[in-house]
Amino acid sequence: MFTKYIENFISDDECNLIISLGESIDLNPMKSTHIVNGKIAITNVKWLGNKRLGGYFKNELLEIPIIEKLSNKIIKLSNELNPFNGVIYTGVSKYSFNRYEVGDFLDWHSDGHEILNGATLTYIIQLNDNYDDGDIKYRINDVEYSINKKKGSVFVFDSNTSHSVEKITNGTRYSINVWPSKTIKKSII
């Protein structure tokens, strides 16, 4: 399993701009996808392990300079990290903007719904750190790890990795998630 944590991936000003953009879109209770036998069976199902508000940056929102700049950084980093031999990352089709209030959380899961859409890497970018609890956790071989809570940091990991966000006890937590798109490079023999 691949994981990488980087502090200061984006600046405080960039974080604040992204929060402002996120607050300007329609935020709704985030719902989940139900997967049966490796296929998306039902989308937007209510899942008791998911309590947060969110929305998506896609289409014309991807052309806003701050988001375009972030997408370029994500593509560049994905290709520099090169966690999967023969995979070249070429774009970003959407961001998930998340707002967690007191009592909100996200239970243990992997990003199976995004994997079905071709994801191999998941990025979680923390946009603030002035809240209590709400830690990002992940598991590898039944060992649980916690991510340092720092504004502007990014946690990059294999989309198969089980992860969660603990319940917020004070303040508001903001983050964005992204799954860079890829192409498979074929070797010439």
Side-chain angles (χ1 to χ4, degrees), residues 96-124:
S96 174
F97 176 81
N98 306 287
R99 182 175 75 195
Y100 294 79
E101 301 286 347
V102 172
D104 290 354
F105 64 96
L106 183 58
D107 211 349
W108 289 100
H109 68 286
S110 64
D111 289 341
H113 59 292
E114 295 298 339
I115 293 168
L116 289 176
N117 291 323
T120 57
L121 285 178
T122 299
Y123 279 67
I124 300 174

Side-chain angles (χ1 to χ4, degrees), residues 71 74-79 87-95 114 117-123 156-157 159 177-183:
S71 296
I74 286 168
I75 293 163
K76 182 179 182 210
L77 179 60
S78 299
N79 288 314
V87 174
I88 298 170
Y89 296 89
T90 57
V92 169
S93 62
K94 70 177 178 184
Y95 289 86
E114 295 298 339
N117 291 323
T120 57
L121 285 178
T122 299
Y123 279 67
V156 187
F157 55 96
S159 297
N177 301 358
V178 64
W179 304 266
S181 54
K182 64 179 179 2
T183 58

Side-chain angles (χ1 to χ4, degrees), residues 38-185:
K39 295 181 182 176
I40 296 176
I42 305 168
T43 57
N44 295 326
V45 298
K46 185 169 180 151
W47 177 46
L48 297 178
N50 179 5
K51 185 173 185 299
R52 64 195 159 121
L53 293 177
Y56 294 99
F57 300 163
K58 55 186 179 178
N59 304 324
E60 65 278 349
L61 292 179
L62 295 175
E63 297 172 10
I64 294 173
I66 184 67
I67 301 302
E68 197 169 48
K69 179 181 176 184
L70 181 57
S71 296
N72 290 333
K73 282 182 88 166
I74 286 168
I75 293 163
K76 182 179 182 210
L77 179 60
S78 299
N79 288 314
E80 286 173 356
L81 293 173
N82 192 25
F84 305 105
N85 191 21
V87 174
I88 298 170
Y89 296 89
T90 57
V92 169
S93 62
K94 70 177 178 184
Y95 289 86
S96 174
F97 176 81
N98 306 287
R99 182 175 75 195
Y100 294 79
E101 301 286 347
V102 172
D104 290 354
F105 64 96
L106 183 58
D107 211 349
W108 289 100
H109 68 286
S110 64
D111 289 341
H113 59 292
E114 295 298 339
I115 293 168
L116 289 176
N117 291 323
T120 57
L121 285 178
T122 299
Y123 279 67
I124 300 174
I125 301 171
Q126 297 190 75
L127 299 175
N128 70 321
D129 54 17
N130 56 341
Y131 56 91
D132 294 328
D133 297 312
D135 294 339
I136 298 169
K137 303 267 189 176
Y138 69 99
R139 289 184 190 144
I140 297 179
N141 298 325
D142 295 324
V143 177
E144 191 173 298
Y145 301 90
S146 188
I147 297 301
N148 191 22
K149 183 178 6 184
K150 181 151 173 48
K151 183 176 184 176
S153 67
V154 63
F155 178 48
V156 187
F157 55 96
D158 178 327
S159 297
N160 282 307
T161 303
S162 183
H163 58 285
S164 67
V165 176
E166 289 187 320
K167 191 178 285 188
I168 304 297
T169 59
N170 184 47
T172 302
R173 177 187 185 273
Y174 292 99
S175 65
I176 54 173
N177 301 358
V178 64
W179 304 266
S181 54
K182 64 179 179 2
T183 58
I184 305 297
K185 181 180 174 183

